[in-house]
Amino acid sequence: MAQVEATTERIIAADAETVFDALADYSGTRAKVLPEHFSEYEVREGGDGEGTLVHWKLQAASKRVRDCLLEVSEPTDGQLVEKDRNSSMVTTWTVTPAGEGKSRAVVTTVWNGAGGIGGFFEKTFAPKGLARIYDLVLARLAAEVEAGVEK
């Protein structure tokens, strides 16, 4: 079983604190910025960063749906970690300053991939598909927080 990793990032025209707060807002902003790949979204505990328990189904491919139950932690400033109780999947969101009024948002997801030929295809194609999905999330997050900055 090889570890599979998908990473994407985006520069957002808003300060790091604003972007992080929006990402950590599972009860509001996060639900708004998720694309159609996410369904059955539900905050089960908390709703703002550390201590949140959130559920969703992620359809990364036409035949592959992951039922995710994620525990959220904040191990360091500017970082959210979502650990899936149903699998080995861990997603880390890191927001850092990137110049005047800008921030860099990076999302990395890792999980233990399958073995054999299925694992080969998973390691080859899953990271690209997941990166595309998270690129959409970051684009929608950017639109959301940048609109708030302009007000």
Side-chain angles (χ1 to χ4, degrees):
M1 241 184 337
Q3 191 170 57
V4 183
E5 181 176 316
T7 300
T8 190
E9 67 178 71
R10 184 179 195 95
I11 300 294
I12 299 175
D15 65 73
E17 186 177 347
T18 299
V19 174
F20 182 82
D21 289 349
L23 264 178
D25 179 16
Y26 290 87
S27 295
T29 306
R30 185 62 82 93
K32 286 197 282 187
V33 301
L34 294 178
E36 64 279 357
H37 303 88
F38 296 84
S39 63
E40 298 182 31
Y41 183 90
E42 176 188 18
V43 174
R44 295 192 178 168
E45 293 174 17
D48 185 26
E50 178 90 30
T52 296
L53 183 64
V54 63
H55 171 268
W56 61 62
K57 288 192 176 176
L58 171 60
Q59 184 159 1
S62 60
K63 295 178 183 168
R64 181 74 170 113
V65 178
R66 277 186 186 259
D67 189 351
C68 303
L69 183 59
L70 303 146
E71 294 176 348
V72 179
S73 64
E74 293 182 32
T76 62
D77 282 351
Q79 193 172 63
L80 284 171
V81 176
E82 301 168 347
K83 289 185 179 172
D84 186 9
R85 287 185 179 174
N86 299 332
S87 74
S88 62
M89 190 170 72
V90 177
T91 300
T92 303
W93 300 84
T94 306
V95 181
T96 54
E100 186 67 34
K102 292 182 181 172
S103 58
R104 176 184 315 278
V106 179
V107 56
T108 301
T109 300
V110 295
W111 68 94
N112 296 328
I117 191 73
F120 169 79
F121 284 105
E122 181 180 24
K123 193 165 179 67
T124 303
F125 298 108
K128 292 177 183 128
L130 197 55
R132 275 194 300 274
I133 292 168
Y134 279 119
D135 195 48
L136 277 172
V137 173
L138 289 175
R140 293 170 74 152
L141 175 68
E144 183 75 19
V145 297
E146 290 170 1
V149 168
E150 292 170 8
K151 288 180 185 174

